[in-house]
Amino acid sequence: MSCPAAGTKSVLRIHLYRVGPADQDTYEQALALLRDITPLVQALPPDGADLDVTGAHRYFDRDTRDLALLVQLRLAALYGLQATIGAGPNRMLASMAAAVTAPGHCTIIDPTPDAVAGFLHPQPVAALFGVGPATARTLADYGIHRIGDLTDVPALTLQRILGKTTATTLHERARGHDPRPVIPAAAPQSAGATWSFPHDELDHHAHRRALIGLTERLGLRLRTSGQVAARLSLTVVYADGTSTQRTRTLAELTAHSPTLTTTAYDLYTRLALERARVRTITLRAEHLTNAQHATHQLLLDPADDKRRRIEEASDQARARFGDHAVRPSTLSQVSSEAAPTAGGGPAWSAFRRRGP
């Protein structure tokens, strides 16, 4: 593939294989390496990034495929990282290309209209950026299953099905258009913790006990540091080294452990694990901000007020007597399930990343 014509963008979507929320030092090092290729790097934690390499073609005298191979080579040589790369003329196409690429390989979408259509049309509509499960079901009810089917629907008909705004947006994306720029930015401030099982764990009850332990720990750290989270992310790593991640924006900024637990349970339930052998579970609180900027919605619920008073008293006890002075009764079996770390400590490891 030759270098893109003048005026044509070239974007890489990078996924770092087997880099998780607990490997943030490695992730930050990888981002620094990517910025040596182009200053236009947008971090997508915990393991991804978008690169606009349009200007790098002339600097390195390489086309898009060769630049992708250069990135893979440098990441492997300096940090032992395996990278999956998708490339295309915009962020959406690069992301979709990466999604269908095997670990350690590259998929390059040529910017020509025929190449873009040839890639998009066979894809299911759910693969299109902005199409969630509800929209996909609605389209399926009308016999629209693939992106190629979507491009065949007249614009006015699509508006009657989805509404004007959604229909207009998807009509453009189904034709490979995505105006979003790559915005150079550091990873947003976040904090999290990882639970490692002593063996690949099948028991759903053990998984849920681990989630309680993680949300208790994470909530305490946020409250102690005077911070609240806007989003919660769950990453589950399986016995074969593969992983699944789910993220949820919280209803309000919070550091309240029961709220974090409820959200973590919901994220876990949505994974619909069937006899999955789980190796580690990681929770990450994202988009942290000062607790003084947060407002709590008054529920006029005595039970909620009681839980918050108990939480405040528990925090005071932990500050005086240690983190394990107070903990939920559900965690009574944790010590017997936990796999010690290399240093003989508890089975969870905490991490923290600061933004700009």
Side-chain angles (χ1 to χ4, degrees):
M1 174 180 158
S2 60
C3 295
T8 302
K9 287 205 304 183
S10 183
V11 177
L12 304 183
R13 166 62 63 89
I14 313 289
H15 282 303
L16 302 175
Y17 188 55
R18 293 188 176 179
V19 170
D23 305 311
Q24 292 309 294
D25 287 343
T26 301
Y27 178 65
E28 295 291 349
Q29 290 173 335
L31 289 178
L33 181 150
L34 296 176
R35 293 186 184 104
D36 289 337
I37 303 293
T38 173
L40 300 177
V41 176
Q42 183 167 342
L44 302 172
D47 64 354
D50 279 348
L51 284 68
D52 186 336
V53 295
T54 307
H57 290 292
R58 177 174 295 182
Y59 182 84
F60 287 95
D61 192 25
R62 296 171 183 256
D63 64 13
T64 301
R65 183 175 296 278
D66 285 343
L67 282 175
L69 294 175
L70 175 64
V71 169
Q72 287 183 320
L73 179 62
R74 289 190 176 185
L75 288 170
L78 292 177
Y79 302 117
L81 295 175
Q82 192 176 27
T84 299
I85 300 180
N90 56 53
R91 292 183 63 191
M92 181 190 73
L93 290 172
S95 174
M96 293 179 69
V100 298
T101 303
H105 293 264
C106 298
T107 296
I108 314 295
I109 302 175
D110 194 273
T112 64
D114 287 344
V116 170
F119 173 80
L120 284 176
H121 286 188
Q123 303 287 334
V125 290
L128 195 63
F129 176 61
V131 176
T135 302
R137 286 193 297 269
T138 300
L139 292 172
D141 290 341
Y142 288 87
I144 304 170
H145 301 282
R146 301 195 177 276
I147 296 176
D149 301 331
L150 191 59
T151 62
D152 293 335
V153 179
L156 291 178
T157 302
L158 195 60
Q159 289 179 19
R160 285 195 293 269
I161 297 173
L162 299 175
K164 184 175 180 179
T165 301
T166 301
T168 301
T169 300
L170 295 187
H171 185 267
E172 289 297 306
R173 289 175 181 170
R175 287 159 176 76
H177 302 153
D178 179 17
R180 294 175 301 151
V182 174
I183 302 174
Q189 187 176 17
S190 65
T194 296
W195 185 274
S196 299
F197 293 100
H199 53 77
D200 298 329
E201 184 60 73
L202 283 166
D203 185 5
H204 287 211
H205 298 294
H207 299 166
R208 288 179 173 270
R209 282 195 292 272
L211 288 173
I212 293 177
L214 290 170
T215 54
E216 283 291 312
R217 182 69 187 177
L218 193 55
L220 177 62
R221 292 181 61 219
L222 293 178
R223 295 190 298 275
T224 301
S225 62
Q227 292 183 299
V228 288
R231 196 166 68 175
L232 191 67
S233 174
L234 169 70
T235 303
V236 177
V237 178
Y238 306 105
D240 61 358
T242 61
S243 64
T244 305
Q245 183 182 16
R246 293 289 184 272
T247 302
R248 171 69 56 79
T249 298
L250 298 164
E252 62 180 12
L253 296 172
T254 188
H256 188 38
S257 290
T259 301
L260 298 177
T261 301
T262 300
T263 305
Y265 275 0
D266 186 52
L267 291 170
Y268 174 83
T269 300
R270 289 176 179 272
L271 293 177
L273 301 182
E274 294 292 339
R275 296 192 59 78
R277 297 163 62 86
V278 174
R279 183 166 296 171
T280 65
I281 297 177
T282 297
L283 276 179
R284 188 173 75 252
E286 300 177 331
H287 297 179
L288 304 186
T289 188
N290 194 303
Q292 293 179 348
H293 301 156
T295 57
H296 168 54
Q297 182 177 358
L298 296 177
L299 300 178
L300 302 180
D301 180 2
D304 181 70
D305 291 340
K306 182 178 180 180
R307 284 191 294 268
R308 292 179 183 274
R309 289 197 301 271
I310 291 174
E311 184 174 73
E312 183 178 357
S314 298
D315 288 349
Q316 294 173 356
R318 288 164 174 154
R320 183 174 181 181
F321 301 109
D323 290 352
H324 297 289
V326 181
R327 60 178 183 172
S329 59
T330 313
L331 299 181
S332 60
Q333 301 180 38
V334 164
S335 60
S336 63
E337 295 170 349
T341 61
W348 56 266
S349 59
F351 59 88
R352 186 179 187 86
R353 181 170 64 254
R354 292 191 178 276

